[in-house]
């Protein structure tokens, strides 16, 4: 559905994490043969409501376009309480301004829920649901680092070489 004329819409108050999620989604769509992808701020949406597939990214606090979509559709309403901290919703529905196009909501209760939704997008092929809840993965009390090209969990502790370098700066 997102192979032609798609805009990714961020709220004017989008966090850096949400902006990174938009770039990740853009790259994912380009890798899957999308021909036209543009990232815009929500205040510029009027020119893109008709004739475009739309991906809306954010939380109701950071992207006011979500409230407009909730009022026009039966989309799952995300709040600070639902689906909860670190959780997001991926939902696909018809574009309410142009029903020949589709809309994907990548939303969360917080920015980490949005980030989780973006990172799970590539893993959703074959799912026959229009809406799924995604959750931040906890990795045995360690921290998972998300990069555009990969994810990894750093080794615990500080390496001896880093400790030695830091000791040189102690006065």
């Amino acid at each position: 559905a997102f192979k032609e004329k798609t805009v990714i819409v961020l709220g004017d108050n989008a966090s850096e994490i949400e902006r990174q999620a938009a770039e990740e989604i853009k790259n994912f769509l380009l890798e899957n043969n999308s021909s036209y992808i543009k990232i815009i701020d929500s205040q510029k949406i009027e020119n893109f409501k008709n004739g475009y597939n739309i991906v809306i990214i954010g939380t109701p606090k950071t992207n006011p376009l979500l409230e407009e979509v909730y009022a026009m559709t039966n989309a799952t309403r995300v709040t600070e309480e639902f689906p909860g901290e670190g959780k997001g919703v991926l939902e696909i529905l018809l574009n309410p301004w142009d029903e020949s196009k589709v809309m994907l909501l990548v939303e969360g209760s917080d920015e980490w829920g949005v980030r989780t939704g973006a990172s799970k997008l590539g893993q959703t092929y074959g799912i026959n649901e229009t809406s799924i809840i995604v959750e931040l993965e906890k990795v045995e009390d360690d921290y998972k680092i998300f990069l555009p090209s990969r994810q990894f969990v750093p080794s615990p502790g500080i390496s001896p070489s880093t400790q030695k370098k830091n000791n040189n700066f102690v006065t």
Side-chain angles (χ1 to χ4, degrees):
F2 296 95
K3 295 206 182 294
E4 55 186 50
K5 293 177 73 173
T6 300
V7 291
I8 299 172
V9 186
L10 285 165
D12 303 334
N13 300 320
S15 69
E16 184 58 33
I17 291 169
E18 291 170 336
R19 292 189 182 284
Q20 290 171 359
E23 287 295 330
E24 185 175 320
I25 291 170
K26 178 182 177 181
N27 291 336
F28 170 77
L29 292 174
L30 288 171
E31 289 170 6
N32 286 281
N33 301 319
S34 290
S35 60
Y36 177 91
I37 307 279
K38 184 174 185 168
I39 298 174
I40 62 170
D41 288 330
S42 61
Q43 59 185 270
K44 297 177 183 172
I45 188 62
E46 288 305 319
N47 295 329
F48 298 97
K49 286 180 175 178
N50 287 304
Y52 289 83
N53 296 305
I54 300 173
V55 179
I56 302 175
I57 297 176
T59 70
K61 281 187 174 180
T62 61
N63 196 332
L65 188 58
L66 287 170
E67 289 298 333
E68 190 175 339
V69 169
Y70 295 155
M72 297 176 70
T73 68
N74 64 349
T76 304
R77 182 176 286 273
V78 168
T79 65
E80 288 181 25
E81 294 80 31
F82 178 82
E85 185 179 341
K87 294 180 182 177
V89 174
L90 289 173
E91 186 165 12
I92 192 162
L93 55 152
L94 292 176
N95 175 344
W97 299 283
D98 181 349
E99 292 192 353
S100 70
K101 301 295 180 184
V102 294
M103 177 172 14
L104 174 66
L105 304 179
V106 182
E107 51 191 332
S109 293
D110 55 26
E111 64 187 2
W112 292 106
V114 173
R115 180 72 179 100
T116 301
S119 65
K120 294 282 186 184
L121 189 60
Q123 302 168 19
T124 59
Y125 279 128
I127 294 177
N128 290 330
E129 310 217 10
T130 58
S131 178
I132 61 170
I133 295 175
V134 293
E135 189 169 352
L136 187 64
E137 294 177 16
K138 185 165 173 61
V139 183
E140 299 175 11
D141 297 325
D142 289 332
Y143 294 95
K144 183 178 270 191
I145 297 176
F146 295 91
L147 300 173
S149 61
R150 65 187 179 104
Q151 304 170 18
F152 69 95
V153 177
S155 301
I158 300 172
S159 71
S161 62
T162 303
Q163 264 183 337
K164 185 176 177 183
K165 289 177 188 175
N166 287 339
N167 288 339
N168 292 336
F169 293 107
V170 175
T171 57

